[in-house]
Amino acid sequence: MAQYVSIHPENPQQRLLQRAAEIIRQGGVIALPTDSSYALGCHLGDKAAVERIRAIRGVDERHLLTLMCRDLSQIGQFARVDNATYRLLKATTPGSYTFILEGTRELPRRVLHPKRKTIGLRVPAHAVTLALLEALDEPLLTSTLIVAGDEGPLTEGWEIQDRLESQLELILDSGNCGIEPTSVVDLTGAVPVLVRAGLGPLAPLGLD
């Protein structure tokens, strides 16, 4: 049975963030707000929690999850970033982007693309998410909160409670998050390559 808490979208309560961080460390799966839509999140190293997220989504191991980081230094710990890529990331984070980068040895192999050894990373522009990542003091493995069989993400905390109360440990409700996905950009080559146009503007990436 999921704990359901209302959290302030701009000034999140510290006690709620600490509770959420502890639930994640203990292997829980949570629903959290982001700047694009609600997401499912779990501890990076928890294989069972990852499988639970995939079961909710109705996807297999070929569907890659996104590593949500609190800042650029954390991205640099888990992905290979050269000087040009660093400058681009500095100009676009926090923001509604998911960047595909080559992962480092800090990451479990199961979360990397099996052939390319890449992973999607992002620094969300949402006060609750950033504050949670600060409280957790490590990245969060996430996936858009789309229930298996649905075409789009759930947008309200009460909807998530109705549909997934028995499958989650915690629901952080900060109000409607919207449904538009992030822009996905592959940064593994010499120039950025647009994989999916979404909420993040393309002009800062030279892709408009």
Side-chain angles (χ1 to χ4, degrees), residues 24 28-32 34 39-54 63-69 74 78 106-112 118-122 129 132-133 136 138-144:
I24 292 163
V29 175
I30 74 166
L32 68 152
T34 79
L40 297 165
C42 72
H43 192 273
L44 172 61
D46 197 309
K47 183 178 180 181
V50 171
E51 292 309 313
R52 289 173 57 201
I53 288 179
R54 289 196 169 117
H63 181 92
L64 298 178
L65 306 186
T66 297
L67 194 65
M68 209 171 270
C69 299
Q74 213 167 56
F78 293 93
E106 299 284 330
L107 290 171
R109 292 183 64 183
R110 65 178 176 273
V111 304
L112 296 170
T118 54
I119 189 169
L121 300 100
R122 64 177 303 227
T129 324
L132 174 59
L133 290 165
L136 188 62
E138 57 187 307
L140 190 63
L141 203 57
T142 66
S143 183
T144 303

Side-chain angles (χ1 to χ4, degrees), residues 150-165:
D150 289 2
E151 293 186 1
L154 300 179
T155 61
E156 299 281 0
W158 62 265
E159 289 181 309
I160 300 169
Q161 185 179 35
D162 281 352
R163 299 283 299 278
L164 298 174
E165 186 174 32

Side-chain angles (χ1 to χ4, degrees), residues 47-201:
K47 183 178 180 181
V50 171
E51 292 309 313
R52 289 173 57 201
I53 288 179
R54 289 196 169 117
I56 293 169
R57 288 291 316 270
V59 297
D60 60 22
E61 65 277 358
R62 291 172 294 181
H63 181 92
L64 298 178
L65 306 186
T66 297
L67 194 65
M68 209 171 270
C69 299
R70 69 166 181 256
D71 53 28
L72 269 180
S73 64
Q74 213 167 56
I75 286 183
Q77 180 182 355
F78 293 93
R80 303 190 189 283
V81 177
D82 60 22
N83 289 337
T85 301
Y86 179 86
R87 288 192 294 271
L88 191 149
L89 292 172
K90 189 174 182 180
T92 52
T93 58
S96 300
Y97 303 93
T98 301
F99 296 106
I100 298 173
L101 292 161
E102 183 183 349
T104 67
R105 293 183 180 179
E106 299 284 330
L107 290 171
R109 292 183 64 183
R110 65 178 176 273
V111 304
L112 296 170
H113 188 285
K115 294 182 179 178
R116 301 182 64 207
K117 307 304 179 189
T118 54
I119 189 169
L121 300 100
R122 64 177 303 227
V123 181
H126 194 288
V128 173
T129 324
L130 290 174
L132 174 59
L133 290 165
E134 188 70 31
L136 188 62
D137 196 30
E138 57 187 307
L140 190 63
L141 203 57
T142 66
S143 183
T144 303
L145 205 169
I146 303 175
V147 179
D150 289 2
E151 293 186 1
L154 300 179
T155 61
E156 299 281 0
W158 62 265
E159 289 181 309
I160 300 169
Q161 185 179 35
D162 281 352
R163 299 283 299 278
L164 298 174
E165 186 174 32
S166 64
Q167 299 178 63
L168 303 174
E169 276 67 46
L170 177 69
I171 299 165
L172 291 176
D173 181 2
S174 71
N176 190 298
C177 280
I179 59 172
E180 190 171 357
T182 59
S183 294
V184 179
V185 183
D186 190 330
L187 298 180
T188 58
V191 296
V193 175
L194 181 65
V195 177
R196 179 184 70 196
L199 197 58

